[in-house]
Amino acid sequence: MAAPCWHVGHHIRRNAQSLRVNIEHLAGNRAFGWTPAVHQQAKESVILPRKKAWSKEAVLETLASTLNRDSTAYPYQFQDDPYLSPRTATEFKLYSLAQDSGRSAARYFVNNHPKFFTKDFAEPHIPCLMPETVSLLLEEVSEEALKERITLRKVTAAVDMYDQLLQTGTAVSMETTHELLDLICLYCDRNPVQEGEAGAEEEKEGRRMTSRRGADVPRLSWTENNNAERIFYLLPERDTRCYSAVIRGMVKHGAYAKAFSVYSDMLNNRTPGDVHIFNALISAAPEVRDGYSERWDLISELLNHMKQQEIHPNLLTFNSVLKSLRQCGSLARSYSPQTLNEMKALGIAPSLASYDHILAVFYKSVSSGPSNSDVLQNLMTELEGQSFTCVDPDDVLFFSSAMKVCLDNKDLELGYRVQSLVEVGENWRLLGDSVQLSIYYGRFFNLLCMMEDVDVVLRWYKQMVPSLYYPNAQGMKHLLQALDTDGRLDLLPDIWTDMKTLGLYNRADLLEQLLGLMAGEEHSPELQEAFAVCALDVKSVFEEKAGLEWSASSLSHVTTLLLRASKAQQAWDMLKLFKAHNRIPSEALLNSFLSVCQRDGASERAVELVQLSAAFCLTSTSGLASRALAEFDLNQEQRLVLAGLEAAAGPPSD
Amino acid sequence: MKVEVTNKRKLKSLKTKSESATNYAPKPSAIESTFSMFQKATAADTSSESGTLEPDLVAAASAAAATLPNSRQAESELLQQLRRRKDLTEAQKKGNDLGDIIADMKVGKKFSRQNSWPSNQIRFDEDGQGYTHDRGIASELASVRKRKKLFPSKRLNIFSPVTDKDTAESALTKPTLWDIAFVNELSFSTNQMPRNVLEEMIQWTKEGKLWEYPINNESGLEEEVGISFTEHVFLEKHLEEGFPRQGPVRHFMELVVAGLSRNPYLTVQQKKEHISWFRDYFHQKAEVLNEADVCLS
């Protein structure tokens, strides 16, 4: 076999030149299959493809798309020190706030002491790490100084500078006046809380985490005759932007009636409006009219004015229409689909906030029947597989309201569809801050525990807890109920360890439910052992935590569990606790204790038990006494004692 | 036992035969109008037993049932099964546009999960609705049908579609304080935290703190790209005017130019300014140089 190959190879080597030429000739003709003329033409009209321009983050985004979420890991921002991994929801908030406040403290130092940060090592230059100017540089009375104050958001300083400019008679350009009015109206004539001020900082961060509205513009109220109005009325001519600033500021800070009067002023002066004015007025419409039809009349009047002035509505216009329709009662059901269709006809894609308003309109009453989940089902069919970005601050409320609808209608399939929409692309970002997130996942988990069987529930539990969702006491109760329904009580010890990690041992009712489930029926010996260990754990929790009160049922459950696991001494200690906490043991408990004593042959203890029961003045004392006399072999004095107890408690039972 | 085994096989073959029959039958009729199919499907829905089964199928069913001991019951069961199969195909045929086709694909998938039916059934019975396991299709049908009715195409009719010109104009104006506050509010309400190190690196790249991948050595040096090295190195041409051609000044300046040509940190403009500073300096100190007898020609 090798020899012929050698010959072939030898032959090829010798005739290589001629062979190669032949092959090229053949290959050339065969591969293109063109005549030389066509080949010539093809060469001239070669079209070079355009060079692809990749974005700066293309490589990183591709790499990031290969990673999925790790359900066993803590969130990325905490993957540093295992001691500082948040195990409960409060820890999560606390640590996130701590991280944010560290960052703002660093920012404060860099900005307020720029002399320590002059050396620039980075090449190319990184502007965002350099100190920024936070203090005023220009002190003279000039328009540049005013502009500087506006950029630095110093409201009172800007107003003072403006007044000084007017006094000196310098004309201030219209642009700067517009910006000044914007500034005053945005901050409602008060200085915004600056970063680094003591006390205000934690408040600001707290508001950032818990409130849904913008953190550095808190809810203030519009005072009478404040600087905005004063400057506004002092202006020689007022144009659209001035009116826009004042009306928007008034609506933002609660002066709704005034906003409408300024608007009618604007109409009288025949100043053209702008889309922001109308957005603000539409959202303020329910506040100035009572009565559903009047509100709707006002809204449609405003929309008609927009049409007359040829101002094109945008997404926010329609979202504010829908939001105001929520307060229009029964009219909302007819008009909100029409609004949605109007949006689509104009080519404005509705955002999640619009859908959230629609859901609120159609699912207002809790008592709506199960057939009404049609609206949400149609909606989910329409939204299937789309990815969204946040274009309206109310977008984040959509998912939790959708899940609430699924929960109220007990529709598991729909719940899964909502969850799959959350998992598309970057939609998970639209679940909002930690409060909204816990509400959404709480409702989803509740739905699962109610409707699914326990294997699926546990699979979701492992996926969600604790990386996405820290269950509260309510969620845990649902989980325990689900375990009970499907008879998986063997998982109770693991759930108890989870509860301890999550910090849920402060709720006496939750502990009682857990104990009740464990003590419900007899189980296999290993399981009873595990339950007894848990019971002792719960007992130590009750003893350590100051606020927890033992209840009769939890005490009896613990005692029962200890008895079943043959821990008689500890059970005896439990009985002493009954006296200490003024709780009365049940008859069944004492009877079972007596049986255990008989099994162990502890007659001393049996007598003490009967004496204890007598101390509680229980009616079952005589029964117990007679049982003890019958079943145990006792010495003479014990018999006397028991006989006495039997007689003492005797007569009522005759 | 034997009888049942053969009957099972016969029933299986019957089922496949009926499937193929119903599959062949709708193919030519798919071309016919959808409205008639609509009617057929709605008729199938509303009536509890649809009497539109093909006669040969019915004959085959009765023949198969005749072999079984309990023929009447078996026949009714077979016919019921065939009717259900027909309803299913009618339902799947019903919708025509893309959304419905997608919804119908879901119907098929749902039917393959046979084990979920018992729990569905129990659930619905508990709710008191008393639906059979056909509710799976019925709900899809209902949604498909109602989608056309729930959000009717009636609109407010206040606005008319916008032209492109107006939107282009509004995009050019400078962002006001209100816009900045709005964008801030949006970023606070969503969750912008990175989920892994790569997302964090993406955020840093956007902020300008990180080099851009793939690494370009010359990022940050964009203005130097167009300037060739000759302008950095061959600086003698700047010594043509303003400086003497011989003498210690010239010697000094040649040394300066040699140093500058080896300096990678200055831009060309800075080097030129350096040289012109020296030019002015020597012109100013002309008297001193004259006293020292240095020729300035």
Side-chain angles (χ1 to χ4, degrees):
Chain A
M1 182 62 186
C5 293
W6 185 87
H7 277 296
V8 168
H10 197 61
H11 178 79
I12 287 176
R13 209 156 39 91
R14 258 188 299 144
N15 303 345
Q17 193 63 28
S18 54
L19 251 166
R20 211 182 307 132
V21 169
N22 282 342
I23 286 172
E24 269 183 23
H25 184 70
L26 283 169
N29 273 347
R30 245 186 303 130
F32 290 99
W34 290 340
T35 60
V38 176
H39 192 67
Q40 202 60 22
Q41 274 178 0
K43 249 194 211 158
E44 285 156 16
S45 62
V46 164
I47 304 166
L48 290 174
R50 270 184 195 282
K51 180 176 180 199
K52 268 198 181 180
W54 294 102
S55 74
K56 301 189 286 189
E57 308 100 20
V59 173
L60 290 170
E61 277 172 2
T62 325
L63 285 174
S65 66
T66 62
L67 292 180
N68 281 331
R69 189 181 71 85
D70 182 2
S71 59
T72 58
Y74 288 105
Y76 174 67
Q77 62 257 36
F78 298 115
Q79 282 175 13
D80 188 357
D81 187 349
Y83 181 71
L84 291 175
S85 309
R87 291 186 180 86
T88 71
T90 40
E91 275 186 20
F92 183 88
K93 271 201 204 123
L94 195 64
Y95 295 165
S96 322
L97 284 178
Q99 280 186 337
D100 267 337
S101 69
R103 269 181 223 123
S104 47
R107 202 71 250 178
Y108 172 80
F109 276 113
V110 169
N111 287 341
N112 289 64
H113 302 279
K115 56 185 186 294
F116 297 124
F117 298 98
T118 50
K119 248 192 177 173
D120 183 13
F121 294 102
E123 197 154 332
H125 181 63
I126 301 177
C128 67
L129 293 179
M130 290 286 116
E132 21 176 84
T133 43
V134 283
S135 49
L136 297 168
L137 292 174
L138 303 170
E139 289 298 328
E140 77 277 10
V141 179
S142 72
E143 193 164 325
E144 278 70 33
L146 179 59
K147 278 196 194 157
E148 193 196 6
R149 279 156 179 75
I150 293 175
T151 338
L152 291 175
R153 313 279 176 107
K154 294 192 187 300
V155 178
T156 42
V159 170
D160 290 334
M161 178 61 64
Y162 181 77
D163 288 333
Q164 283 175 3
L165 279 172
L166 279 187
Q167 275 174 357
T168 59
T170 330
V172 184
S173 72
M174 219 46 212
E175 183 68 37
T176 322
T177 325
H178 287 158
E179 293 197 357
L180 177 67
L181 271 177
D182 279 343
L183 181 73
I184 303 176
C185 297
L186 186 64
Y187 290 110
C188 193
D189 209 18
R190 260 153 267 192
N191 273 327
V193 175
Q194 298 288 348
E195 302 225 4
E197 281 171 15
E201 195 187 70
E202 287 95 35
E203 208 181 283
K204 180 176 167 196
E205 297 293 353
R207 252 182 281 131
R208 189 198 297 251
M209 293 298 289
T210 57
S211 76
R212 292 194 308 267
R213 301 293 135 204
D216 52 17
V217 191
R219 285 262 155 210
L220 301 168
S221 52
W222 188 266
T223 52
E224 287 276 338
N225 289 332
N226 60 11
N227 286 320
E229 292 182 29
R230 182 174 58 86
I231 293 175
F232 182 66
Y233 287 120
L234 280 177
L235 284 175
E237 84 273 358
R238 297 162 217 151
D239 65 345
T240 313
R241 267 196 69 180
C242 304
Y243 276 109
S244 159
V246 173
I247 292 179
R248 282 169 95 173
M250 284 177 173
V251 169
K252 191 180 180 86
H253 298 286
Y256 305 113
K258 262 201 202 165
F260 274 96
S261 62
V262 173
Y263 174 63
S264 48
D265 202 20
M266 191 182 104
L267 286 179
N268 290 341
N269 292 346
R270 292 176 211 270
T271 325
D274 109 5
V275 70
H276 306 291
I277 296 181
F278 283 103
N279 289 354
L281 288 173
I282 291 172
S283 58
E287 310 282 343
V288 292
R289 297 271 187 277
D290 302 316
Y292 301 146
S293 49
E294 286 146 20
R295 288 174 181 170
W296 173 247
D297 290 337
L298 181 58
I299 294 174
S300 49
E301 192 188 321
L302 285 167
L303 289 172
N304 280 317
H305 286 181
M306 272 184 95
K307 166 81 179 206
Q308 282 164 10
Q309 297 187 18
E310 296 194 0
I311 298 171
H312 296 286
N314 61 9
L315 174 68
L316 294 173
T317 320
F318 288 112
N319 279 353
S320 40
V321 170
L322 286 169
K323 195 166 180 185
S324 309
L325 271 176
R326 272 166 90 155
Q327 299 181 357
C328 286
S330 51
L331 288 176
R333 286 201 177 210
S334 44
Y335 287 119
S336 34
Q338 290 186 24
T339 318
L340 211 60
N341 289 323
E342 185 86 12
M343 286 169 89
K344 289 179 191 162
L346 290 181
I348 301 176
S351 77
L352 285 181
S354 357
Y355 295 125
D356 177 48
H357 298 311
I358 298 266
L359 281 181
V361 160
F362 280 92
Y363 290 102
K364 214 186 273 228
S365 57
V366 181
S367 58
S368 53
S371 62
N372 268 346
S373 69
D374 288 338
V375 173
L376 187 55
Q377 286 200 13
N378 296 342
L379 208 53
M380 290 316 298
T381 322
E382 220 176 288
L383 296 178
E384 206 84 37
Q386 289 182 25
S387 43
F388 298 98
T389 48
C390 187
V391 285
D392 184 323
D394 288 331
D395 281 346
V396 296
L397 304 173
F398 170 72
F399 283 112
S400 36
S401 349
M403 195 47 83
K404 181 162 187 287
V405 169
C406 299
L407 185 61
D408 289 338
N409 289 337
K410 297 188 175 31
D411 195 339
L412 183 65
E413 189 67 33
L414 203 52
Y416 278 135
R417 284 170 86 179
V418 176
Q419 175 64 17
S420 58
L421 186 61
V422 169
E423 286 167 5
V424 168
E426 297 276 307
N427 286 355
W428 60 274
R429 290 190 193 271
L430 289 171
L431 283 175
D433 61 351
S434 62
V435 176
Q436 283 295 315
L437 202 71
S438 63
I439 293 175
Y440 171 78
Y441 278 115
R443 287 178 181 156
F444 183 51
F445 195 60
N446 191 354
L447 183 66
L448 284 175
C449 288
M450 254 205 287
M451 310 295 294
E452 272 281 14
D453 47 285
V454 77
D455 296 325
V456 180
V457 169
L458 286 172
R459 201 161 43 83
W460 279 102
Y461 180 75
K462 281 192 182 48
Q463 263 190 342
M464 294 197 321
V465 176
S467 49
L468 280 179
Y469 165 55
Y470 295 101
N472 52 5
Q474 198 63 30
M476 264 309 165
K477 280 191 192 164
H478 291 306
L479 179 63
L480 289 175
Q481 261 173 11
L483 288 177
D484 187 26
T485 321
D486 279 322
R488 289 298 301 273
L489 295 177
D490 52 319
L491 294 168
L492 280 178
D494 299 326
I495 301 291
W496 167 242
T497 38
D498 281 345
M499 277 168 66
K500 275 198 290 186
T501 322
L502 290 167
L504 288 174
Y505 41 70
N506 285 329
R507 296 282 300 262
D509 46 348
L510 188 58
L511 292 174
E512 203 171 308
Q513 189 184 7
L514 179 70
L515 289 170
L517 282 179
M518 284 204 277
E521 25 180 67
E522 288 266 355
H523 295 279
S524 65
E526 310 86 44
L527 200 53
Q528 289 296 149
E529 269 300 314
F531 281 173
V533 168
C534 285
L536 285 172
D537 226 350
V538 174
K539 174 176 169 233
S540 57
V541 163
F542 266 109
E543 281 164 8
E544 280 166 27
K545 298 289 167 193
L548 286 177
E549 279 288 319
W550 279 108
S551 70
S553 46
S554 31
L555 280 170
S556 46
H557 288 319
V558 176
T559 323
T560 324
L561 285 169
L562 290 170
L563 282 177
R564 286 201 196 134
S566 318
K567 293 193 185 340
Q569 182 55 39
Q570 281 138 334
W572 184 245
D573 297 332
M574 288 303 303
L575 280 183
K576 298 221 186 68
L577 273 180
F578 270 98
K579 189 78 187 194
H581 291 270
N582 289 333
R583 303 274 183 255
I584 301 180
S586 65
E587 182 176 331
L589 180 64
L590 292 173
N591 271 321
S592 55
F593 209 124
L594 203 63
S595 333
V596 170
C597 287
Q598 188 209 19
R599 208 177 56 212
D600 294 341
S603 45
E604 264 295 319
R605 183 154 292 168
V607 177
E608 283 170 11
L609 185 71
V610 182
Q611 279 172 328
L612 190 82
S613 146
F616 277 117
C617 302
L618 291 175
T619 52
S620 54
T621 312
S622 65
L624 284 172
S626 39
R627 249 191 84 185
L629 276 172
E631 293 169 13
F632 290 81
D633 44 329
L634 307 158
N635 58 21
Q636 201 55 29
E637 34 181 289
Q638 287 170 336
R639 265 181 212 283
L640 276 173
V641 166
L642 281 176
L645 285 173
E646 191 180 2
S653 62
D654 278 341
Chain B
M1 271 301 159
K2 240 194 199 169
V3 175
E4 282 177 8
V5 166
T6 49
N7 280 334
K8 254 199 198 153
R9 258 191 272 137
K10 256 199 183 165
L11 280 175
K12 266 197 197 151
S13 61
L14 182 67
K15 269 193 196 154
T16 52
K17 190 168 143 211
S18 68
E19 264 182 36
S20 57
T22 48
N23 276 340
Y24 281 138
K27 267 193 192 147
S29 65
I31 309 168
E32 68 186 28
S33 70
T34 62
F35 191 61
S36 61
M37 280 204 283
F38 233 94
Q39 282 185 323
K40 249 198 241 171
T42 46
D45 253 352
T46 51
S47 63
S48 56
E49 25 169 87
S50 64
T52 55
L53 283 176
E54 274 85 347
D56 55 344
L57 271 181
V58 179
S62 52
T67 62
L68 288 175
N70 199 355
S71 68
R72 198 151 298 254
Q73 190 197 15
E75 181 176 308
S76 61
E77 275 178 16
L78 282 173
L79 287 174
Q80 209 182 5
Q81 183 67 22
L82 289 177
R83 281 193 206 102
R84 277 203 213 114
R85 189 76 46 173
K86 182 128 177 115
D87 288 352
L88 173 57
T89 49
E90 295 284 38
Q92 285 183 328
K93 261 188 324 192
K94 206 188 71 120
N96 269 338
D97 43 328
L98 199 60
D100 294 349
I101 294 173
I102 294 171
D104 290 340
M105 289 200 308
K106 280 215 185 119
V107 172
K109 201 162 80 148
K110 226 187 187 178
F111 259 76
S112 67
R113 281 191 293 137
Q114 294 281 345
N115 55 353
S116 68
W117 279 10
S119 53
N120 278 355
Q121 200 169 21
I122 294 170
R123 204 189 315 152
F124 291 128
D125 282 339
E126 272 180 2
D127 276 349
Q129 288 172 351
Y131 289 124
T132 65
H133 57 264
D134 275 341
R135 201 201 186 256
I137 328 167
S139 69
E140 289 293 343
L141 273 178
S143 65
V144 159
R145 214 176 337 143
K146 269 199 185 162
R147 196 149 55 100
K148 305 202 162 94
K149 281 193 218 152
L150 194 62
F151 287 164
S153 52
K154 183 157 176 264
R155 34 175 284 219
L156 294 172
N157 267 327
I158 301 182
F159 298 101
S160 54
V162 70
T163 59
D164 282 328
K165 188 171 60 115
D166 305 316
T167 51
E169 279 174 20
S170 59
L172 292 173
T173 54
K174 202 175 77 139
T176 64
L177 283 175
W178 293 99
D179 299 330
I180 299 172
F182 180 67
V183 167
N184 267 342
E185 205 176 323
L186 282 183
S187 65
F188 282 149
S189 55
T190 61
N191 184 0
Q192 306 280 33
M193 299 301 303
R195 280 185 302 177
N196 50 47
V197 65
L198 291 166
E199 287 187 14
E200 198 179 22
M201 285 166 80
I202 292 174
Q203 268 191 353
W204 286 344
T205 314
K206 285 188 188 154
E207 289 170 20
K209 291 179 187 167
L210 194 63
W211 282 77
E212 300 166 14
Y213 292 101
I215 301 278
N216 175 14
N217 267 339
E218 291 170 7
S219 58
L221 292 175
E222 277 79 21
E223 67 262 12
E224 288 290 317
V225 169
I227 301 174
S228 93
F229 74 99
T230 53
E231 295 179 47
H232 277 281
V233 176
F234 299 119
L235 295 164
E236 289 84 12
K237 58 181 191 289
H238 299 294
L239 295 184
E240 297 294 308
E241 48 165 68
F243 293 106
R245 290 189 190 274
Q246 279 163 355
V249 177
R250 179 78 184 197
H251 187 62
F252 174 75
M253 284 316 296
E254 277 175 8
L255 288 174
V256 168
V257 160
L260 279 177
S261 72
R262 295 218 288 240
N263 185 337
Y265 302 111
L266 298 178
T267 62
V268 174
Q269 190 56 35
Q270 284 172 319
K271 291 181 186 177
K272 280 195 223 167
E273 279 169 14
H274 209 75
I275 295 175
S276 56
W277 184 89
F278 275 110
R279 194 178 291 130
D280 293 335
Y281 178 76
F282 286 121
H283 277 300
Q284 274 182 5
K285 304 285 177 183
E287 310 96 54
V288 177
L289 288 172
N290 276 333
E291 279 176 38
D293 281 332
V294 170
C295 64
L296 279 175
S297 61

